[in-house]
Each structure stands twice: as structure tokens, then as C-alpha cells.
Amino acid sequence: MTPRLILIPLLALMSLAGASAAWAQDKGTVDAKPLPPLANPNDPKIGAKELFGRKVLPAAMPTRVLGFYAHGCIAGAEGLPINGDTWQVMRLSRNRYWAHPDMVALIKRLAGKARKDAGWPGILIGDMSQPRGGPMFTGHASHQVGLDADIWLTPMPNRTLSRNEREEMSAVMMVRDDRLDVDPRVFTPGHLAVIRDAAQEPTVQRIFVNAAIKRALCREAKGNRSWLSKVRPMYGHDYHFHIRIKCPPGSGECDGQPDPAEGEGCAVKDLAYWFKDSVLHPKPPKTPPKPKPPMTMASLPPACKAVLAAPDAKQ
Ligand SMILES: [Zn+2]
């Protein structure tokens, strides 16, 4: 994926409607305009992202996780404060710094550990979920239920970033040009420590990183390496890593997924798929794939309708 390096007004970005991705390195704007109201919000064929993308605040309801990471929503989400002693939230214009309270607490804890264990001033937080979760206009298939969060693989600078810097600053590319390993000029033991801290948290189920980063972690991790089983190679994730937590206790309407298989996943055969030429340098298809119709409310748990209809939570 080629990073988009020009400033695109949020509305234009949104009009691409899922044809594009919003990764850590994609820029936002300080001049985000609210989306125009929908002509037919009750049309059952309308994309659920149109409905969830217009919600500015969480639903004033007790916290409930409804559905699966890639098709669901959340009631009673909590906002991560945009500034902490050891974290700052990036790309505020996307309004994706909402999550289950357990995830918010986890991020705060990991931010403190990054200072202690990696010597970083703190961490930069990318996308979590929308205020009521649900599908998004750009970027992620998951991040829909408040249990996913992206952390930049770039230490927080030792100062408060401006509003503009939070939209414009780029994360650092960790992967070497040939895509076979990390770039040793930028990937440091601190990166390993931050990822390891996250993987060692009992509520964390999976961490997604680029395969080259997984290869580097496999080579460099010392001591107890059992946490490596949670770190999974995934497309993208060259500039950030992704933390996924399990369904929190008492979330009976949350669809979880099985824990990853035990084992470090570091054998040559475990990573071979990701370093095949066809995966590293995929050929563009001869005929462009037909755009998929957007996910509608019918694909989400029925209770997500009540989440959309609820009044805004007071902040
Ligand atoms: Zn992510």
C-alpha cells in the first residue's frame, strides 16, 4: 500500500467510502467537516458505516460489546484522554479513540510500561474504535467492538504534539525496502519491549505486526519467549502494531475467537507464506475486483440498532 502523503480533507477521504485505507501513516486534517445528514437513514440497504460514522459520542447505555471484531458495535464505550503522562492520541479528526473501558485501562498501563521498559517518553495511539464502534469509512475491517487498538511503532516525543502535528506527523516505517526484515536503523530493543509488554498482558489475545517484524522479534527475544505465540504476522502493520483483547468477562453478547495456537510461530515454515514473492510483491489482478457492497445493519447484531438510537453519553 502506498502511503498517501498529501493532505486530503476528511470529507473527500470519506467519499472514497472504503475504497481506501486509513493507516497510521495516512494524514488527517484539523479542518474536519461534519458529514451531511443522510437523506434516507432508515433505508435497510444503507451502509452501516454511514450510520456509525456520524456518531460523535458513545451511546448513553451500560457497556455492552455486541458481535465480533469485524462485525459488531459497542454501547457505553469510554474515550481515551487525548493526552496522558505517557501517551498521546494521534489523528484526532478520525474520532476513533473510543473503546471498552478494559482496553482504555490497558492502554494507560502499557503506556506507563513503555517508559519503564523501553525508555520511551510514552506511546502514540492510532485508531481504536468509533464512539459506538461499527464499520468505518476507511481502514479497518475490525476495530468494530472496542477491543482493538493500534499503537504507533514510533516513540512519543518528549513534548505535547500540536493539533496539526497529530494529523500530519508520520509514523516511522519499520520494514526494510526488500520487505524481508526490519530496517536496523529504526527498529530498536525498545520496539521489542513495547510489543512484548503488550503480548504479556493476560487479556491480550493477539497482536498483529508485519511479518518482517515478527521475524525480528523471533531472532531477538530473550528469556521466556512464550509471548511470541500471540504475535501474528499480518498485512500492513509496517508502521504500527495492533492489539486485540479477548471478550471481557461478563460480555455474553461478544463473539470471541479461539486463542492462537501455542508455539512461538518462529520456524521457517511458519513464516514462509509471508515471504513468498507472490505475497511480498502481489501482481495486480487483470480485472479489478468488483467493490463489495457495504456491510448493512442486517450483518450486525440486532441490538446495534438500539446502540445507534440511544442518546449521546455525557462526557
Ligand atoms: Zn488495527
Side-chain angles (χ1 to χ4, degrees):
M1 143 136 300
T2 314
R4 244 183 292 106
L5 291 171
I6 44 168
L7 176 66
I8 301 171
L10 188 64
L11 272 178
L13 196 71
M14 288 183 158
S15 69
L16 297 175
S20 63
W23 303 103
Q25 70 276 22
D26 287 343
K27 296 186 179 183
T29 172
V30 287
D31 188 26
K33 308 269 190 314
L35 290 164
L38 290 166
N40 297 306
N42 297 319
D43 179 351
K45 288 200 290 294
I46 204 162
K49 66 188 174 194
E50 299 283 348
L51 303 166
F52 283 97
R54 281 172 171 74
K55 293 295 177 189
V56 175
L57 287 168
M61 294 168 71
T63 303
R64 277 167 77 185
V65 177
L66 298 159
F68 183 67
Y69 303 95
H71 39 90
C73 67
I74 177 168
E78 186 179 321
L80 177 67
I82 62 171
N83 291 313
D85 285 350
T86 48
W87 74 87
Q88 295 181 48
V89 177
M90 302 301 284
R91 304 298 189 259
L92 301 175
S93 61
R94 295 186 195 162
N95 195 25
R96 294 178 182 169
Y97 43 87
W98 305 88
H100 189 280
D102 289 4
M103 176 60 103
V104 172
L106 173 73
I107 296 292
K108 292 177 179 174
R109 194 162 62 246
L110 289 176
K113 283 189 174 175
R115 181 174 288 180
K116 200 163 81 19
D117 296 341
W120 290 9
I123 52 176
L124 298 174
I125 314 300
D127 285 355
M128 298 165 77
S129 292
Q130 300 180 121
R132 302 185 192 200
M136 301 178 200
F137 283 104
T138 54
H140 317 273
S142 66
H143 288 254
Q144 293 194 21
V145 288
L147 305 179
D148 294 288
D150 289 343
I151 311 294
W152 283 29
L153 288 164
T154 305
M156 186 184 88
N158 209 351
R159 64 188 172 84
T160 306
L161 294 167
S162 70
R163 246 328 244 106
N164 200 53
E165 284 174 310
R166 291 181 202 231
E167 303 296 342
E168 295 266 308
M169 195 181 127
S170 287
V172 176
M173 169 56 134
M174 290 291 122
V175 179
R176 213 165 65 187
D177 281 349
D178 66 6
R179 315 285 301 155
L180 297 174
D181 213 314
V182 293
D183 181 344
R185 292 168 301 178
V186 294
F187 187 85
T188 66
H191 291 86
L192 182 144
V194 169
I195 296 170
R196 183 184 55 211
D197 282 344
Q200 285 179 333
E201 288 281 341
T203 61
V204 169
Q205 190 179 46
R206 281 176 168 68
I207 289 183
F208 298 123
V209 295
N210 182 277
I213 297 174
K214 171 84 189 199
R215 179 177 267 177
L217 296 172
C218 286
R219 181 176 56 235
E220 291 165 24
K222 306 274 184 298
N224 181 346
R225 292 165 54 96
S226 60
W227 56 275
L228 283 165
S229 66
K230 293 190 193 173
V231 183
R232 320 289 292 175
M234 189 52 71
Y235 299 99
H237 302 88
D238 308 0
Y239 297 77
H240 73 272
F241 71 103
H242 175 131
I243 299 177
R244 171 169 295 172
I245 60 171
K246 300 175 198 191
C247 286
S251 305
E253 299 152 299
C254 174
D255 297 330
Q257 74 189 129
D259 288 343
E262 277 180 37
E264 296 175 0
C266 289
V268 171
K269 69 170 175 24
D270 296 330
L271 292 169
Y273 166 83
W274 297 97
F275 296 109
K276 288 198 305 195
D277 198 55
S278 58
V279 173
L280 290 178
H281 309 287
K283 289 207 176 63
K286 285 200 185 76
T287 48
K290 274 209 201 105
K292 270 197 267 165
M295 193 177 282
T296 63
M297 289 305 290
S299 312
L300 304 181
C304 287
K305 288 203 178 92
V307 173
L308 273 177
D312 287 342
K314 289 202 181 63
Q315 290 302 305

